[in-house]
């Protein structure tokens, strides 16, 4: 997906310096591709505990307290993802007659990738609550090694 976005943006940049008519759809597809990439990676990042979080709590809490905060944070992520999936499902299955300007793709189709990515993020967050420790802490050097 990242390669596709790069190739489309490169094509769009090259077209600006050539004396030919440009393809308008390249910019539109690159923008959608970037959004799709972000939402498609959401589940992967939540599963590896590499999404945007405040890691300051990890420095001060240990054991059961850290696990409790981590489980609560994952439950919040799952709840937010579920709400966003419901809204995205309404947009996907709502049957809007609108189409994208350049490509003519039904606008409801463009919300399918964010819906799937957020559903996976919510599922991964729920599965994280079953893990004994956050994945990022498993790879962190121990206190004795410092």
């Amino acid at each position: 997906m990242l390669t596709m976005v790069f190739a489309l943006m490169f094509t769009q940049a090259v077209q600006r310096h050539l004396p030919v008519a440009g393809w308008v759809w390249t910019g539109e597809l690159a923008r959608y591709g970037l959004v799709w990439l972000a939402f498609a990676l959401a589940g992967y990042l939540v599963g590896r505990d590499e999404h945007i979080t405040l890691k300051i709590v990890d420095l001060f809490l240990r054991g059961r307290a850290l696990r409790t905060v981590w489980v609560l944070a994952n439950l919040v992520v799952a709840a937010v993802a579920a709400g966003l999936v419901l809204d995205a499902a309404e947009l996907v299955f709502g049957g809007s007659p609108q189409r994208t300007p350049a490509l003519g793709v039904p606008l409801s189709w463009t919300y399918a990738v964010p819906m799937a990515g957020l559903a996976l993020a919510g599922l991964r967050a729920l599965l994280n609550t079953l893990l004994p420790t956050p994945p990022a802490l498993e790879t962190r050097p121990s206190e004795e090694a410092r």
Side-chain angles (χ1 to χ4, degrees):
M1 186 70 74
L2 190 60
T3 304
M4 179 194 80
V5 170
F6 175 75
L8 288 169
M9 290 179 68
F10 182 74
T11 302
Q12 189 178 26
V14 167
Q15 288 174 355
R16 290 182 182 163
H17 301 289
L18 296 176
V20 295
W23 296 327
V24 179
W25 59 268
T26 57
E28 183 176 290
L29 189 57
R31 280 191 301 273
Y32 284 124
L34 187 60
V35 171
W36 292 335
L37 178 65
F39 281 107
L41 284 175
Y44 174 76
L45 293 174
V46 170
R48 293 181 46 105
D49 195 31
E50 292 179 352
H51 54 99
I52 298 173
T53 56
L54 294 175
K55 296 292 185 185
I56 192 78
V57 175
D58 295 354
L59 298 175
F60 296 109
L61 295 179
R62 296 282 183 244
R64 182 169 278 168
L66 178 61
R67 173 148 173 69
T68 302
V69 169
W70 191 64
V71 167
L72 289 174
N74 276 293
L75 290 174
V76 169
V77 169
V80 169
L84 291 172
V85 166
L86 290 175
D87 286 344
E90 186 177 315
L91 293 170
V92 169
F93 301 114
S96 172
Q98 293 180 334
R99 294 183 170 274
T100 59
L103 290 171
V105 174
L107 204 54
S108 60
W109 292 6
T110 63
Y111 298 111
V113 173
M115 183 180 71
L118 289 167
L120 289 173
L123 181 62
R124 294 294 295 260
L126 287 175
L127 291 175
N128 278 349
T129 62
L130 303 175
L131 294 177
T133 182
L137 290 179
E138 291 174 359
T139 59
R140 191 168 74 179
S142 65
E143 295 293 327
E144 296 90 29
R146 288 187 206 173

